[in-house]
Amino acid sequence: MEMRIEKVRKNNEGDITDVMMNGNIYSIDQAIMLAQDGLIEGVNVARARSGREYLRSNPDETAENNLDNLPQF
């Protein structure tokens, strides 16, 4: 069963720290592991120049579903 990120929580710097899927809250590290296992729909895991992994929305025609544009909780 694939999950979809519905909402995000950000820290003071604007970085996503937690995500909500199916009403459950997951840390960003948990979400990255789930995405690597192919369990989250619409995202992929990218690697920053620093080597840190992060979630990125799959590219499409709309910006509304980008992780940074999702509702916050």
Side-chain angles (χ1 to χ4, degrees), residues 31-68:
I32 287 170
M33 288 191 296
L34 291 168
Q36 288 171 329
D37 290 341
L39 299 175
I40 304 177
E41 188 178 329
V43 299
N44 62 78
V45 178
R47 187 176 297 274
R49 289 191 188 121
S50 66
R52 182 179 65 86
E53 292 180 323
Y54 65 96
L55 286 181
R56 185 171 65 185
S57 300
N58 291 340
D60 61 15
E61 300 298 316
T62 180
E64 287 89 44
N65 62 359
N66 291 352
L67 294 177
D68 273 339

Side-chain angles (χ1 to χ4, degrees), residues 4-41:
R4 180 173 284 281
I5 297 175
E6 303 156 354
K7 297 180 181 182
V8 297
R9 178 180 291 149
K10 297 181 182 182
N11 63 17
N12 291 339
E13 288 81 46
D15 297 324
I16 296 172
T17 60
D18 302 278
V19 298
M20 183 181 290
M21 297 182 286
N22 301 345
N24 297 310
I25 298 171
Y26 299 87
S27 73
I28 194 65
D29 292 332
Q30 291 172 314
I32 287 170
M33 288 191 296
L34 291 168
Q36 288 171 329
D37 290 341
L39 299 175
I40 304 177
E41 188 178 329

